Amino acid sequence: MIESNIKAKLSFSDGTPDIELPIYKGTQGPDVIDIRKLYGQTGKFTYDPGFLSTASCSSKITFIDGDKGELLYRGYPIEDLAKNCDFLEVCQLLINGELPNQKQNREFQDMVMHHTMVHEQMQFFLRGFRRDAHPMAVLTGLVGAMAAFYHDEIDYGDAKAREIAQIRLIAKMPTLVAMSYKYSIGQPFMYPDNSLSYTANFMRMMFATPCEPYKVNPVLVRALDRIFILHADHEQNASTSTVRLAGSSGTNPFAAISAGIACLWGPAHGGANEACLEMLNDIQASGGVEKIGEFIAQVKDKNSNVRLMGFGHRVYKNFDPRAKLMRETCHEVLKELGLENDPLFKLAMTLEKIALEDDYFVGRKLYPNVDFYSGIVQRALGIPTEMFTCIFALARTVGWIAQWEEMITDPEYKIGRPRQLFIGATPRAIPPVSERK
């Protein structure tokens, strides 16, 4: 951080002395006003529900410019990374700060692929869940349980120990996600195959059975790998902030990541692509393309509860840069699988065209976001709707790890402790029972 020559001056009308607050500049984005001494000097807190105007940390990992529709991982545009790198290269970039050379990449990939197995006892832990339990509930439990298997080998002050924990999480997450899926449908678990790439291995564990060999389709593997890259990190969102807050207490990293998964499960966060596909299915069930006009009218009706899912974004006030890449991937996958005439895809493309040309949506900058396309792609790949958020969690794990590592090694790191504006009862005496209402 670079301290600005400009200071913020805070004045009060109640006689409290004015104070000056330092302003810091980042390499990009808005400047920040340092309010750390505000309470000590004035006895007052700031009030910012949802932390919409509060920078909770300094970070070098991900930068978003919502007005420009820009997403950078360590300075690299997401478009360039998705087209020129694979997911494990992006993992190294997010964690280490730089893209790997050939030797570094080979060593990292080898290390990850030789840590994909999970402890055999995890199978027995998994069998304690109901078969119809939501996979995200199962995944939250499985990742949290990893703390019981590796608790004695992690010294947070030792860089090598942290690296081992990071490798374990990246390597074992696909295995745990696939296990949760196989368990839900009653199929046998498939052990990892270290001869395959990270993403191809995951697809095999998801879809193969012991009955016959699994055939790897490079087009589909690349599509899912791109989904992983696009969802790897997204600045200080709800789940990332959860991981940082949980991790700030010094908790086991598996527990911190489990907390992030639980947060991601919320429909307002990681469940958006699931909600989008459900919306398309509802339109299809009500009459398909011919009913889109009625659906759009309901969306515009202020008295209606109907929402257009998969359009617009809280951060991006322009086009979501990930959506452009996901749109290309969507077309590639459907062409590869011969699904260009799939009714749901036709419905989605018609809805997209109307929304992009309608003044109501254009004026509000409600452009398709990454969730609009990723749900269609995952459905085409054979991933059931209830597994969409698990795929998101698998991809986002590396972002959470990078953020956790950055926080742990930050000299200014402290346990998180948000404050409040208390509006409850003032001190009062307990009345006799006979006088209570």
Side-chain angles (χ1 to χ4, degrees):
M1 294 187 296
I2 302 172
E3 187 168 352
S4 171
N5 294 326
I6 302 171
K7 304 288 184 182
K9 187 174 182 180
L10 187 59
S11 300
F12 301 87
S13 59
D14 63 355
T16 303
D18 295 352
I19 63 168
E20 281 193 348
L21 299 170
I23 296 177
Y24 289 98
K25 292 179 173 293
T27 53
Q28 295 190 84
D31 297 343
V32 298
I33 301 171
D34 186 348
I35 61 168
R36 284 176 288 185
K37 295 182 179 180
L38 178 66
Y39 178 66
Q41 293 180 352
T42 69
K44 296 177 174 62
F45 299 135
T46 57
Y47 183 63
D48 184 21
F51 309 111
L52 302 185
S53 297
T54 299
S56 60
C57 64
S58 60
S59 180
K60 298 178 180 178
I61 301 171
T62 303
F63 176 75
I64 298 171
D65 189 322
D67 294 327
K68 293 181 180 177
E70 183 179 67
L71 171 61
L72 307 176
Y73 291 171
R74 300 285 190 178
Y76 292 103
I78 190 64
E79 298 90 337
D80 294 346
L81 291 170
K83 291 177 180 177
N84 298 295
C85 300
D86 65 27
F87 179 62
L88 288 187
E89 287 179 293
V90 172
C91 287
Q92 294 168 82
L93 171 67
L94 289 172
I95 293 172
N96 300 323
E98 298 293 342
L99 287 168
N101 58 35
Q102 288 185 341
K103 180 176 181 292
Q104 292 167 334
N105 190 37
R106 185 169 57 251
E107 291 174 350
F108 183 83
Q109 301 227 13
D110 185 68
M111 194 181 305
V112 167
M113 296 316 296
H114 284 87
H115 280 82
T116 52
M117 292 276 288
V118 298
H119 199 290
E120 199 70 6
Q121 283 183 238
M122 292 292 279
Q123 291 194 27
F124 301 106
F125 180 75
L126 185 61
R127 287 169 182 157
F129 292 101
R130 288 172 51 124
R131 290 277 182 182
D132 60 353
H134 195 286
M136 280 295 283
V138 175
L139 188 62
T140 303
L142 290 177
V143 174
M146 287 177 69
F149 289 94
Y150 304 114
H151 63 94
D152 60 339
E153 299 179 33
I154 299 174
D155 173 12
Y156 308 122
D158 181 63
K160 186 63 179 177
R162 291 198 305 272
E163 180 186 1
I164 291 171
Q166 293 162 7
I167 292 293
R168 282 174 171 158
L169 277 159
I170 294 170
K172 299 179 191 304
M173 187 62 74
T175 309
L176 295 177
V177 171
M179 287 175 70
S180 67
Y181 172 60
K182 288 293 193 183
Y183 181 73
S184 70
I185 60 175
Q187 287 188 2
F189 304 126
M190 297 297 295
Y191 287 103
D193 182 347
N194 292 341
S195 68
L196 298 175
S197 70
Y198 183 85
T199 304
N201 178 51
F202 171 65
M203 293 184 74
R204 177 186 169 276
M205 288 191 291
M206 282 282 290
F207 303 122
T209 66
C211 308
E212 56 191 37
Y214 178 74
K215 296 179 180 178
V216 175
N217 185 320
V219 174
L220 305 187
V221 169
R222 180 58 185 154
L224 187 55
D225 200 70
R226 183 172 284 185
I227 287 177
F228 290 165
I229 292 171
L230 298 180
H231 289 84
D233 198 51
H234 210 238
E235 213 208 65
Q236 304 307 315
N237 53 78
S239 58
T240 299
S241 298
T242 297
V243 170
R244 277 184 172 261
L245 188 59
S248 73
S249 71
T251 190
N252 186 291
F254 300 109
I257 300 301
S258 179
I261 294 171
C263 180
L264 188 68
W265 189 6
H269 191 9
N273 54 9
E274 186 175 341
C276 181
L277 198 62
E278 289 174 356
M279 174 195 72
L280 293 174
N281 282 324
D282 288 343
I283 299 173
Q284 184 67 25
S286 67
V289 174
E290 295 180 359
K291 295 293 182 178
I292 286 182
E294 294 180 17
F295 173 77
I296 293 294
Q298 289 179 311
V299 170
K300 295 178 181 180
D301 186 354
K302 293 181 180 179
N303 299 317
S304 169
N305 292 323
V306 176
R307 294 179 58 199
L308 181 62
M309 305 302 297
F311 287 75
H313 196 279
R314 184 176 181 179
V315 174
Y316 297 110
K317 305 310 176 187
N318 205 315
F319 210 87
D320 182 345
R322 302 169 300 169
K324 299 175 184 177
L325 297 160
M326 206 68 256
R327 189 180 192 277
E328 293 175 12
T329 301
C330 186
H331 284 276
E332 290 169 5
V333 167
L334 294 169
K335 181 179 179 181
E336 176 68 17
L337 296 174
L339 296 174
E340 301 100 315
N341 295 317
D342 177 74
L344 202 66
F345 177 60
K346 280 191 169 183
L347 173 65
M349 293 303 99
T350 304
L351 184 59
E352 173 198 57
K353 186 175 185 297
I354 291 175
L356 288 176
E357 295 176 353
D358 192 305
D359 291 339
Y360 178 88
F361 300 106
V362 174
R364 290 167 173 76
K365 296 185 177 181
L366 295 176
Y367 303 113
N369 59 39
V370 67
D371 297 310
F372 182 73
Y373 301 106
S374 65
I376 299 171
V377 174
Q378 291 185 61
R379 175 180 177 270
L381 293 176
I383 298 169
T385 307
E386 62 271 16
M387 289 297 299
F388 286 1
T389 318
C390 292
I391 302 297
F392 194 159
L394 193 168
R396 185 55 58 84
T397 293
V398 65
W400 292 331
I401 290 169
Q403 299 276 351
W404 172 78
E405 169 72 17
E406 184 177 65
M407 179 200 64
I408 289 292
T409 56
D410 185 348
E412 296 187 330
Y413 137 73
K414 294 179 177 64
I415 184 171
R417 181 59 171 87
R419 306 310 293 255
Q420 66 177 13
L421 173 64
F422 182 70
I423 56 174
T426 55
R428 50 184 175 165
I430 299 176
V433 175
S434 60
E435 296 179 12
R436 297 176 197 172
K437 296 180 180 179

